[in-house]
Amino acid sequence: YTLANWYPLGSPGEVEIGQCAGFSGDGVIYLNGLKRGKNVAIVGDVIKSGSTVTSLLKGIQAAGCHTTCIVAGCEILEINGRAAIAAVNSAVPVFAVTRIHARGEQTKAAEDLDGKVLPPTPVHLQKREGYPFDGKKRIAEIKRMSVKELQEKTERIHKAFVGIPIIRNDLLSYPYSFFGLTDFTPAMEASWVEDLADLCVYHGNFDNCDVVVSECDRGGGPMIQAICARVNKPFVLANWYPSVDGCGMSSNVQIGFSGVGNIVVNGLKPGDRCIIIDDMLSSGGTAEGIINSIAMMGAIPSVGIFASEKLYPSERDGGIPVRKGAIRLRKAFPYFGIVSICQFIAEGDKTQNPSIRIGDDASLTEEV
């Protein structure tokens, strides 16, 4: 599967969905990873005006692909997004798990003229077999993975991050690469997420966790859902907002090419023990913003588990690669644990494996 992502205007990408402002100025939404002639299903959370879905429909068509259906968790009837979708392609069936009215002070279930609650759009909703389940038992099973299985899963993740072309762009202050897990070039294989979920559970201590936290952007969402399906823990996703009026706890921070903005976390209670999950630790800005927001809510950010960690060449001849993101986090939060599944060096024309894994205390100083 693939997710549409925002990039600064002028950045490379495959199918342009539309231009929009971002935290660092004008930007563009790209949809990557589609191959001509493929059948595509669009999955979303809420159908409102339909503008997001119609943009995706046009992008999928531009990629030479065919949209088979549109599935959403909810549809707000007053905004009539279904009509906007039909105006672009009336042949694509639209399904919503539930439909609601957004009138008055609270949302309400949609009703027909006779006052009966409308059933959801015809979609078979069956309770998933095996739920609810014992998360501790599943954690223990994963912790018992054999050394061979652990090495095989880790190697598959390494291959997704090593040997990838490095792009240098005047808009970017650091070398950038398009990965399947972060930019969906190529489209993400479900097996990557399954391997990552097992590895994160193996290396993490989810028995001492109340809520798992990640960000909505890029690979964090798919990772956290797969992890929480194993450990049976609730999760929340942090969002970027241009302002924070009416939102949860926010932290103002600058990250990579996204610039300055507010990262907002909702749904936590004071005392909640939190593990942060994300696809990559690079500059450390996203993680710093999430940690700040968690702490301001009175919750406890204990450790971050990252699918990958970008290392930077040392400025000294013979020096070990620099963990810029990890250094930034350790300086701001000395108590915060950092776990990375794989590491790569952003040097030369393609990402490379470090000669040795960089993870001792010396690698978290600025003198390396």
Side-chain angles (χ1 to χ4, degrees):
Y1 54 89
T2 182
L3 300 175
N5 280 319
W6 182 93
Y7 295 88
L9 197 62
S11 297
E14 295 182 0
V15 178
E16 181 178 321
I17 299 300
Q19 295 186 11
C20 62
F23 298 105
S24 58
D26 294 333
V28 58
I29 303 294
Y30 281 122
L31 184 61
N32 300 323
L34 297 181
K35 294 182 179 180
R36 181 173 294 275
K38 293 292 186 180
N39 291 325
V40 180
I42 297 176
V43 179
D45 48 8
V46 182
I47 296 176
K48 298 178 181 178
S49 67
S51 60
T52 299
V53 175
T54 56
S55 295
L56 291 173
L57 277 171
K58 294 174 182 177
I60 291 168
Q61 184 178 0
C65 297
H66 171 68
T67 303
T68 58
C69 65
I70 298 164
V71 181
C74 176
E75 178 183 2
I76 302 176
L77 297 183
E78 278 72 21
I79 309 178
N80 203 17
R82 191 178 289 254
I85 294 169
V88 174
N89 191 335
S90 60
V92 179
V94 180
F95 304 107
V97 174
T98 186
R99 293 182 283 177
I100 63 171
H101 287 297
R103 296 193 298 244
E105 297 181 355
Q106 293 182 334
T107 57
K108 296 180 181 179
E111 298 178 350
D112 63 16
L113 295 177
D114 297 325
K116 298 178 181 178
V117 176
L118 288 171
T121 308
V123 168
H124 291 291
L125 301 175
Q126 299 178 354
K127 185 176 180 181
R128 187 172 176 182
E129 184 178 354
Y131 278 72
F133 64 93
D134 186 345
K136 290 188 175 183
K137 182 178 179 180
R138 184 73 180 106
I139 291 172
E141 291 172 353
I142 293 174
K143 295 283 189 182
R144 291 196 295 269
M145 272 197 301
S146 67
V147 173
K148 180 181 178 181
E149 188 175 6
L150 183 64
Q151 290 175 339
E152 289 175 346
K153 288 179 179 290
T154 303
E155 181 60 28
R156 287 194 289 268
I157 300 305
H158 272 279
K159 288 181 179 179
F161 288 98
V162 174
I164 308 301
I166 296 174
I167 297 173
R168 287 175 171 79
N169 188 304
D170 292 340
L171 294 174
L172 308 181
S173 60
Y174 59 92
Y176 193 83
S177 297
F178 287 89
F179 302 104
L181 184 63
T182 60
D183 301 276
F184 309 97
T185 303
M188 187 189 300
E189 297 289 341
S191 60
W192 295 350
V193 179
E194 295 300 307
D195 284 340
L196 270 174
D198 286 343
L199 291 170
C200 288
V201 174
Y202 181 88
H203 290 289
N205 185 2
F206 288 87
D207 288 330
N208 292 330
C209 170
D210 300 306
V211 183
V212 188
V213 183
S214 189
E215 60 164 334
C216 287
D217 191 33
R218 291 171 165 77
M223 283 179 60
I224 198 172
Q225 193 280 331
I227 291 167
C228 290
R230 286 160 167 73
V231 302
N232 197 21
K233 301 285 184 179
F235 67 86
V236 299
L237 293 175
N239 278 296
W240 282 90
Y241 293 87
S243 65
V244 295
D245 293 340
C247 299
M249 194 59 66
S250 69
S251 176
N252 185 268
V253 70
Q254 176 165 351
I255 66 166
F257 59 52
S258 294
V260 177
N262 299 287
I263 193 162
V264 180
V265 176
N266 300 301
L268 299 179
K269 304 186 300 295
D272 278 342
R273 299 167 298 174
C274 302
I275 290 179
I276 296 173
I277 298 292
D278 211 352
D279 51 19
M280 184 179 297
L281 176 61
S282 180
S283 69
T286 298
E288 182 181 44
I290 294 175
I291 294 169
N292 277 326
S293 295
I294 291 172
M296 286 189 290
M297 296 183 79
I300 305 167
S302 59
V303 64
I305 305 177
F306 302 92
S308 64
E309 181 181 359
K310 181 189 291 185
L311 307 178
Y312 295 80
S314 173
E315 295 181 358
R316 290 184 355 189
D317 291 339
I320 64 175
V322 180
R323 304 177 68 190
K324 286 187 177 180
I327 291 170
R328 177 175 179 172
L329 296 182
R330 184 57 56 86
K331 181 184 293 186
F333 315 101
Y335 61 88
F336 187 73
I338 301 169
V339 177
S340 54
I341 303 302
C342 78
Q343 296 176 328
F344 65 90
I345 304 173
E347 184 177 22
D349 295 329
K350 293 184 178 180
T351 58
Q352 306 171 28
N353 251 327
S355 57
I356 59 171
R357 181 172 178 83
I358 311 300
D360 56 20
D361 290 339
S363 69
L364 294 180
T365 68
E366 294 183 281
E367 288 74 37
V368 294

